[in-house]
């Protein structure tokens, strides 16, 4: 039997209120990503192409940020710079307390890349490797022995609903299932930041809805910082904590929209009048239809 006694009314009144729990998917405050004065200019025969004007952006740990804008506005270029795949013409990029690109850098600092996972527009799975072996690829040469790699790949496959397909080859899976495998592969090494470049753009509407629900659940379960590029306004509003709206080329931050719908968000949230108002406002700012 416990000897603990119940507090008196006076003690209850004097006790400080407990801090409210952090929202699902969030971690303590700070900056997971810091972009300062980043721009990108490409050389071309007809003259320089200014893809992105000097841009500043901060992303908090555990935040889900969506980059939205018309084709050619520099959103994928910005995402690729966060992944170390493009070198900024100007500016700096930090991932947490590590510098990815210092001003004038010609290449990324490799020690800042280990905390990143990247999901491309296409699944980019190795066709000669089974799904389980594809998922465990980021772990190879990183320390875990084969048994641990297989166990971690199996766990991630279960999280994305592919536990029964570890022995299948990519060609035996649908497009949506292949993209699930790509997401599992990007998360298997437990990165701090997940970068996603229009991963659902080639999927049919029903499969895309299913993937949005899956991604939201993974984000809530893992607390990862997510930066996603999309052309879909409704997808952006459904998934994001914040939408960073970019202008046509040369890209610049035109607006930042906070999305406050509670989570988990069901697909039916799209019927909410406020959801429709946000979509309409973003569409008007973009000057185009989805």
């Amino acid at each position: 039997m416990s000897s603990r006694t119940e507090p008196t009314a006076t003690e209850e009144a004097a006790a400080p209120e407990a801090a409210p729990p952090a929202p699902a998917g969030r971690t303590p405050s700070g900056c997971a990503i810091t972009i300062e004065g980043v721009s990108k200019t490409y050389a071309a025969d007809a003259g320089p192409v200014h893809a992105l004007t000097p841009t500043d952006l901060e992303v908090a740990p555990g935040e889900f940020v969506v980059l939205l804008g018309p084709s050619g506005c520099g959103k994928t270029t910005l995402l690729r710079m966060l992944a170390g795949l493009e070198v900024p013409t100007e500016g700096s990029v930090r991932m947490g307390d590590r510098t990815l690109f210092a001003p004038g850098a010609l290449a990324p600092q490799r020690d800042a890349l280990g905390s990143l996972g990247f999901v491309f527009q296409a699944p980019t799975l190795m066709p000669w490797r089974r799904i389980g072996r594809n998922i465990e690829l980021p772990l190879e040469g990183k320390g875990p022995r084969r048994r641990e790699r297989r166990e971690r790949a199996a766990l991630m496959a279960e999280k994305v609903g592919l536990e029964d397909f570890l022995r299948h080859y990519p060609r035996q899976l649908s497009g949506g299932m292949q993209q699930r495998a790509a997401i599992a592969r990007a998360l298997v090494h437990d990165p701090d930041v997940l970068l996603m470049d229009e991963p659902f753009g080639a999927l049919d509407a029903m499969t895309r809805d299913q993937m949005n629900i899956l991604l939201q659940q993974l984000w809530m379960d893992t607390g990862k910082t997510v930066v996603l590029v999309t052309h879909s306004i409704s997808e952006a509003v459904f998934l994001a904590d914040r939408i960073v709206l970019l202008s046509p080329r040369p890209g610049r931050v035109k607006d930042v929209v906070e999305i406050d719908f509670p989570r988990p968000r069901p697909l039916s949230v799209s019927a909410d009048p406020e959801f429709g108002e946000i979509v309409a406002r973003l569409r008007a700012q973009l000057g185009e239809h989805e």
Side-chain angles (χ1 to χ4, degrees), residues 182-239:
I183 293 171
R185 181 184 59 190
L187 289 172
V188 73
H189 65 297
D190 195 27
D192 296 326
V193 176
L194 180 63
L195 306 174
M196 310 185 78
D197 185 14
E198 297 191 72
F200 311 138
L203 304 179
D204 62 83
M206 183 178 296
T207 303
R208 189 166 187 158
D209 283 346
Q210 294 171 349
M211 295 301 291
N212 284 336
I213 290 290
L214 172 67
L215 178 57
Q216 176 183 230
Q217 190 61 54
L218 285 171
W219 172 77
M220 294 180 68
D221 290 345
T222 64
K224 303 301 180 188
T225 304
V226 178
V227 181
L228 177 139
V229 165
T230 185
H231 278 99
S232 170
I233 300 173
S234 58
E235 181 171 79
V237 178
F238 179 79
L239 287 171

Side-chain angles (χ1 to χ4, degrees), residues 155-192:
L155 179 61
M156 283 309 310
E158 184 178 0
K159 286 182 178 294
V160 301
L162 292 179
E163 63 270 23
D164 295 332
F165 297 91
L166 288 168
R167 300 285 298 168
H168 287 61
Y169 288 98
R171 65 179 181 274
Q172 297 174 301
L173 272 60
S174 68
M177 294 172 75
Q178 289 184 31
Q179 202 59 288
R180 287 173 185 256
I183 293 171
R185 181 184 59 190
L187 289 172
V188 73
H189 65 297
D190 195 27
D192 296 326

Side-chain angles (χ1 to χ4, degrees), residues 260-282:
D260 295 326
F261 296 110
R263 298 189 188 265
R265 297 170 186 167
L267 293 174
S268 59
V269 72
S270 62
D272 188 303
E274 184 181 355
F275 189 102
E277 290 171 6
I278 296 171
V279 169
R281 176 155 48 96
L282 288 168

Side-chain angles (χ1 to χ4, degrees), residues 16-277:
E17 292 186 7
R26 298 302 186 90
T27 53
S29 61
C31 286
I33 301 171
T34 305
I35 299 167
E36 294 183 343
V38 164
S39 68
K40 183 66 180 180
T41 301
Y42 293 99
D45 292 340
V49 176
H50 302 289
L52 193 69
T53 58
T55 298
D56 298 323
L57 181 65
E58 292 183 348
V59 180
E63 188 174 20
F64 199 127
V65 170
V66 173
L67 304 180
L68 179 68
S71 296
C73 72
K75 55 187 183 295
T76 291
T77 297
L78 181 56
L79 192 79
R80 288 176 61 84
M81 285 191 282
L82 296 181
L85 301 174
E86 294 273 2
V87 179
T89 303
E90 298 176 307
S92 65
V93 178
R94 292 181 62 82
M95 310 301 290
D97 60 357
R98 297 180 179 180
T99 298
L100 181 60
F101 288 108
L106 300 179
Q109 297 294 316
R110 293 295 171 183
D111 66 342
L113 293 176
S115 61
L116 301 176
F118 198 101
V119 181
F120 295 89
Q121 294 181 23
T124 63
L125 300 174
M126 294 182 176
W128 62 89
R129 297 182 67 144
R130 299 179 192 272
I131 292 302
R133 295 292 311 284
N134 266 285
I135 293 174
E136 70 181 64
L137 184 62
L139 300 174
E140 295 181 2
K142 297 293 180 64
R145 295 179 180 273
R146 178 180 297 181
R147 180 176 179 179
E148 182 183 349
R149 294 199 306 266
R150 300 286 163 84
E151 289 174 350
R152 289 170 65 172
L155 179 61
M156 283 309 310
E158 184 178 0
K159 286 182 178 294
V160 301
L162 292 179
E163 63 270 23
D164 295 332
F165 297 91
L166 288 168
R167 300 285 298 168
H168 287 61
Y169 288 98
R171 65 179 181 274
Q172 297 174 301
L173 272 60
S174 68
M177 294 172 75
Q178 289 184 31
Q179 202 59 288
R180 287 173 185 256
I183 293 171
R185 181 184 59 190
L187 289 172
V188 73
H189 65 297
D190 195 27
D192 296 326
V193 176
L194 180 63
L195 306 174
M196 310 185 78
D197 185 14
E198 297 191 72
F200 311 138
L203 304 179
D204 62 83
M206 183 178 296
T207 303
R208 189 166 187 158
D209 283 346
Q210 294 171 349
M211 295 301 291
N212 284 336
I213 290 290
L214 172 67
L215 178 57
Q216 176 183 230
Q217 190 61 54
L218 285 171
W219 172 77
M220 294 180 68
D221 290 345
T222 64
K224 303 301 180 188
T225 304
V226 178
V227 181
L228 177 139
V229 165
T230 185
H231 278 99
S232 170
I233 300 173
S234 58
E235 181 171 79
V237 178
F238 179 79
L239 287 171
D241 289 328
R242 281 191 301 152
I243 297 173
V244 178
L245 183 65
L246 298 179
S247 69
R249 191 176 68 236
R252 61 179 177 81
V253 177
K254 184 176 183 180
D255 195 7
V256 178
V257 180
E258 301 274 351
I259 308 296
D260 295 326
F261 296 110
R263 298 189 188 265
R265 297 170 186 167
L267 293 174
S268 59
V269 72
S270 62
D272 188 303
E274 184 181 355
F275 189 102
E277 290 171 6

